[in-house]
Amino acid sequence: MVELLPLSDIEPQAVENLLDAAFGADRFGRTAYRIRDGMDAVPALSFAAVEDGALIGTIQCWPVAHRAGDGTATPLVMVGPVAVRPDVQRGGHGRALMAHMLDAAEARADSALMMIGDPEYYGRFFGFDADATAEWDLPGPFERRRLLARAVNGHDLPRGAGMIGPR
């Protein structure tokens, strides 16, 4: 049976090992890492999937912000990475972690959500889209169609141009 636990209950090195297995040790150069540079994950929105005492998946969320040209900063929560151990991928664990995080976000998120992800998947199953993100920019290369966002817990999305980065 798979348990969903707070990520803070998991040994940090086990999380890093899982992320290396899922995304490769070169993952630190990706744009997503630049966006959340220097931030700690949001404990109330970061979870682990554990089966028979073994870590099989994680979801992390990060405090970031949209900074408009006039200096206005709008807080956001960056979703991801969603990581599942390669030998148990396609078993619904990532979807369960996302659904669990979204339930928590509806109750406890301090801002709207954003992510870099597959729009067909995250749009269809979780309500993320690129409607608000057309003029957003990131501190590194990205595919515009994969920059997604979703209002949550009464928090609206910023509209218009702005750079996404750590809070």
Side-chain angles (χ1 to χ4, degrees):
M1 178 173 173
V2 175
E3 292 180 89
L4 299 180
L5 305 171
L7 191 63
S8 58
D9 289 358
I10 306 301
E11 171 62 40
Q13 189 58 54
V15 174
E16 292 302 312
N17 293 343
L18 174 72
L19 292 170
D20 283 347
F23 299 114
D26 63 344
R27 62 191 161 87
F28 296 101
R30 295 182 180 183
T31 299
Y33 279 81
R34 293 181 197 172
I35 294 169
R36 60 185 189 250
D37 186 43
M39 298 287 97
D40 290 327
V42 178
L45 302 177
S46 298
F47 300 98
V50 175
E51 184 173 41
D52 298 326
L55 179 64
I56 62 168
T58 63
I59 186 167
Q60 296 177 15
C61 292
W62 307 85
V64 300
H66 171 279
R67 287 185 173 73
D70 68 0
T72 302
T74 304
L76 293 166
V77 171
M78 182 176 182
V79 177
V82 180
V84 176
R85 207 174 66 201
D87 65 312
V88 294
Q89 288 178 354
R90 305 252 184 261
H93 305 299
R95 187 180 293 194
L97 284 161
M98 273 296 292
H100 190 70
M101 180 281 299
L102 286 172
D103 285 346
E106 287 295 346
R108 298 189 291 267
D110 69 353
S111 59
L113 308 176
M114 60 80 53
M115 69 183 316
I116 302 169
D118 177 44
E120 292 79 17
Y121 179 78
Y122 290 102
R124 177 179 176 196
F125 295 109
F126 303 110
F128 284 82
D129 61 46
D131 293 348
T133 66
E135 296 181 67
W136 295 9
D137 199 8
L138 302 180
F142 69 101
E143 292 178 61
R144 180 144 313 276
R145 69 179 208 88
R146 295 175 52 82
L147 183 54
L148 309 173
R150 176 186 165 176
V152 66
N153 193 19
H155 300 287
D156 291 327
L157 294 163
R159 302 282 175 173
M163 177 62 77
I164 305 299
R167 282 195 204 170

